[in-house]
Amino acid sequence: MKRPPFKKAPPAGASAKSSPTSSRTFTVREPSELLSFLFSQHPGQGRNSVKAMLSRGQVSVGGRTVTAFNHPLKPGDAVEVRKGRPPEAVRFVGLSVLHEDADIIVIRKDAGLLSVATEEERELTAYRQLSDYVKREDPRARIFVLHRLDRDTSGVMMFARSEQVQKKMQDAWKDVVTERTYTALVEGQVREPEGKVESWLKENAAMKMYSSSQPNDGQHAVTHYKLLRSSRLYSLLEIRLETGRKNQIRVHMQDLGHPIAGDKKYGAKTKPIGRLGLHASVLAFVHPTTGERLRFKADVPKSFLSVFKDQEPK
């Protein structure tokens, strides 16, 4: 698929230029975060005024609108600041964009939002919203699935902006993705400070995953966990995936004897926070084009900690 052309940066040595559309384009000289760079280019404007330009969608990097204050800039990037009324902002439901460029889009997904529609589910999804979003700029644009989060799992996930990038990343997923860390609220008091669960996962006729009792019978799955906090009723775990199988964490926590809170399908008996107690906290990977190592974090929902307020950690 042919991508739409991106705005070019001014030639070396140029500081800024005006355009007929009442915009100015600045060339980045050294690594910086976007907000700091904007402050340096607008010394006569107040901090709130500069922040407002970002929040109103008046700033773009490499031809794409960016609203994140801490968006990283590298030498040679073109930062455009538009004047006047900006285009109508896109309103997402259940997600927010953490990062986007010509190859990928990284989002934070809320619990309750489907990643991608299934044959049975035709409702609003993260995929559908992002597809509509990229088509606003170019009707030919598409996005492609790289991985998924369960409907009731919140946190960081990403999509590719071309089929070539999708294939490149999925073919080398174990090498490309350097960290996938989850936070899980599980039932009961986990005693061991850390550990590993390893099994062979299979799916039954009811589309429920389970650990086979026979070695090499199914897909090999390895989950590492570390105890963050515990009480008599619940424990908070940091979970690192060595493999990424369907429902892997949920099955392995059940195998451990500590099912994820709210996960009735895999043995939970309680639902203290009104949702599944699983959150994708960190996603780190090597950028498919630049080779840069990127790391994105979504803070753990406060509800995960609320169950410990009236109980002393052990």
Side-chain angles (χ1 to χ4, degrees):
M1 178 183 71
K2 184 179 180 182
R3 296 196 187 104
F6 290 92
K7 295 178 178 64
K8 294 182 180 180
S15 58
K17 66 178 180 181
S18 294
S19 75
T21 55
S22 297
S23 68
R24 302 182 72 197
T25 302
F26 303 88
T27 304
V28 177
R29 303 299 184 191
E30 57 186 34
S32 175
E33 288 190 348
L34 183 54
L35 185 59
S36 298
F37 179 80
L38 291 174
F39 285 151
S40 70
Q41 300 301 321
H42 297 80
Q45 290 188 240
R47 295 177 65 88
N48 289 338
S49 176
V50 175
K51 289 180 178 180
M53 290 191 303
L54 267 176
S55 62
R56 289 196 300 259
Q58 291 177 249
V59 179
S60 61
V61 179
R64 298 196 181 280
T65 300
V66 177
T67 58
F69 291 177
N70 63 346
H71 181 83
L73 300 177
K74 60 184 183 299
D77 281 347
V79 178
E80 181 185 9
V81 179
R82 297 179 294 276
K83 294 182 180 180
R85 186 183 178 119
E88 182 181 353
V90 177
R91 295 186 178 182
F92 293 116
V93 177
L95 69 87
S96 56
V97 176
L98 301 179
H99 171 85
E100 64 171 307
D101 58 40
D103 299 298
I104 55 172
I105 299 180
V106 182
I107 68 167
R108 173 180 174 138
K109 186 187 82 68
D110 293 345
L113 177 69
L114 275 173
S115 298
V116 182
T118 64
E119 289 300 320
E120 295 78 23
E121 305 281 0
R122 297 295 184 185
E123 63 191 81
L124 189 67
T125 65
Y127 176 84
R128 177 177 152 193
Q129 292 185 71
L130 292 173
S131 291
D132 292 343
Y133 172 61
V134 299
K135 288 179 186 297
R136 284 167 61 105
E137 181 180 323
D138 176 7
R140 300 168 300 172
R142 297 173 60 194
I143 61 166
F144 298 82
V145 178
L146 285 171
H147 67 117
R148 306 183 187 203
L149 293 180
D150 292 338
R151 176 202 286 270
D152 293 320
T153 300
S154 56
V156 187
M157 66 178 298
M158 67 174 167
F159 294 83
R161 293 186 66 117
S162 73
E163 197 167 9
Q164 292 85 352
V165 168
Q166 179 195 43
K167 186 176 188 308
K168 181 178 181 180
M169 295 190 76
Q170 288 186 334
D171 286 351
W173 190 254
K174 288 185 178 181
D175 298 321
V176 168
V177 177
T178 56
E179 181 182 356
R180 286 183 74 183
T181 302
Y182 288 72
T183 303
L185 179 67
V186 302
E187 292 184 338
Q189 186 173 19
V190 176
R191 299 291 182 178
E192 297 297 324
E194 58 184 50
K196 180 176 79 170
V197 183
E198 184 173 9
S199 71
W200 299 86
L201 296 184
K202 299 186 71 175
E203 188 171 27
N204 63 21
M207 300 184 72
K208 181 179 178 180
M209 303 299 292
Y210 67 96
S211 290
S212 172
S213 59
Q214 300 296 322
N216 299 309
D217 182 29
Q219 293 183 312
H220 187 227
V222 182
T223 302
H224 300 267
Y225 69 88
K226 178 181 178 181
L227 181 63
L228 299 176
R229 192 169 181 176
S230 70
S231 68
R232 183 174 58 86
L233 299 177
Y234 297 100
S235 298
L236 194 68
L237 304 179
E238 176 184 280
I239 294 179
R240 181 174 60 83
L241 292 181
E242 190 172 315
T243 58
R245 310 303 186 189
K246 179 181 177 181
N247 292 167
Q248 175 178 322
I249 298 174
R250 298 167 66 180
V251 175
H252 278 176
M253 292 303 98
Q254 182 182 41
D255 292 346
L256 191 65
H258 297 280
I260 294 173
D263 195 3
K264 183 179 179 181
K265 182 176 182 178
Y266 290 100
K269 294 181 172 56
T270 65
K271 195 174 183 179
I273 61 174
R275 53 160 289 190
L276 184 72
L278 187 60
H279 177 73
S281 303
V282 177
L283 177 64
F285 56 91
V286 178
H287 192 280
T289 301
T290 67
E292 180 182 3
R293 292 183 178 273
L294 300 176
R295 186 177 189 269
F296 296 94
K297 181 178 180 181
D299 291 340
V300 178
K302 293 180 180 179
S303 60
F304 281 46
L305 304 175
S306 65
V307 300
F308 299 101
K309 283 185 177 180
D310 300 324
Q311 302 180 59
E312 287 294 325
K314 303 243 177 152

